[in-house]
Amino acid sequence: RPEEGLRLRSAGIQAPVVVLGGVLPAQARAVVRAGLSQVVGDIESAEALSRAARALEKPAHLHLKICSGSHIQP
């Protein structure tokens, strides 16, 4: 979750941190500001992170979650 990644940053951890839990639009600025890599599976989250990145003039680091359909049973 974003809260866990932010706690790691506040503890001084500078290594790459990938956040697997979803991000709420209200959390987007904090995620971008902290340089966390956020997993994104919907357009709303991607857009919120993009807006935050533009506002902060920092890159948003994203990992796209894509459903390829390979797990679907016939």
Side-chain angles (χ1 to χ4, degrees), residues 2-6 9-10 13 16 19 23 26 28-31 35-36 44-45 51 56 58 63-65 71-72:
E3 299 86 2
E4 294 168 319
L6 294 170
R9 287 290 188 252
S10 67
I13 304 297
V19 178
V23 62
R29 278 187 181 240
V31 167
L36 302 175
E44 293 82 12
S45 296
R51 285 190 301 273
L56 295 168
K58 289 186 72 166
H63 288 264
L64 297 178
K65 178 181 175 185
H71 69 285
I72 297 173

Side-chain angles (χ1 to χ4, degrees), residues 7-74:
R7 273 187 255 144
L8 290 171
R9 287 290 188 252
S10 67
I13 304 297
Q14 294 301 311
V17 175
V18 177
V19 178
L20 300 176
V23 62
L24 298 172
Q27 298 170 309
R29 278 187 181 240
V31 167
V32 172
R33 188 178 295 115
L36 302 175
S37 295
Q38 179 68 50
V39 172
V40 175
D42 60 82
I43 191 69
E44 293 82 12
S45 296
E47 288 173 341
L49 290 161
S50 177
R51 285 190 301 273
R54 284 193 306 271
L56 295 168
E57 298 181 349
K58 289 186 72 166
H61 302 279
L62 308 179
H63 288 264
L64 297 178
K65 178 181 175 185
I66 298 173
C67 178
S68 67
S70 62
H71 69 285
I72 297 173
Q73 300 285 329

